[in-house]
Every structure is written in C-alpha cells, then in structure tokens.
Amino acid sequence: MAYRYWCGECGFRTAWLSGPEGERQQIEHYAKRHPGTPPGGHVEVGRIPDGCCGCLLVVAIALLLLVVAAACRR
C-alpha cells in the first residue's frame, strides 16, 4: 500500500510513500513549519502499490509477444 500524509495546519502533503517514510516526512514538516504543534491532518491510502501496474504491463506484453510468436510458427 502507498500512503500520502496531509498536514492539518496548511496545504502540505507528502508524496505517495510507505507508511513509515510518509510519517517521518510529516513529523519533519511539523518540526520545521509548525514547531510546538503535534502532527495532525489525515492519511490518504492508495489501493495500488507504486510500481505494480508497470510490472503487470510488462508481463502482459511478454505474453502477447509469445502468442504472436507461436502463431507465426505454424
């Protein structure tokens, strides 16, 4: 899963990251931009992990090429 952390004080948001990395970036943002304020906001959850669709596309193309190669052999 990928997560995006949003600041509760301003419009800052992290990139789509793993949970611990996004949380770390949000804490660093609060320490720098909102000192003394406990981290808040909300977390957006992405359903598809980063890189998943790219791998699926490569596998689909490879299978398509195998089918075309098998059909041309006959």
Side-chain angles (χ1 to χ4, degrees):
M1 288 264 189
Y3 302 90
R4 183 187 303 181
Y5 286 75
W6 292 76
C7 177
E9 311 301 319
C10 67
F12 172 80
R13 68 179 185 260
T14 66
W16 289 101
L17 302 166
S18 66
E21 178 63 20
E23 187 175 356
R24 184 188 63 77
Q25 284 190 10
Q26 184 185 39
I27 290 169
E28 288 177 0
H29 166 77
Y30 266 83
K32 184 191 292 185
R33 301 288 182 187
H34 314 291
T37 305
H42 67 277
V43 180
E44 190 175 355
V45 179
R47 301 211 181 263
I48 299 174
D50 292 338
C52 179
C53 292
C55 293
L56 185 60
L57 181 61
V58 169
V59 169
I61 291 171
L63 287 174
L64 181 62
L65 290 174
L66 284 173
V67 169
V68 169
C72 291
R73 262 186 145 190
R74 295 180 186 178

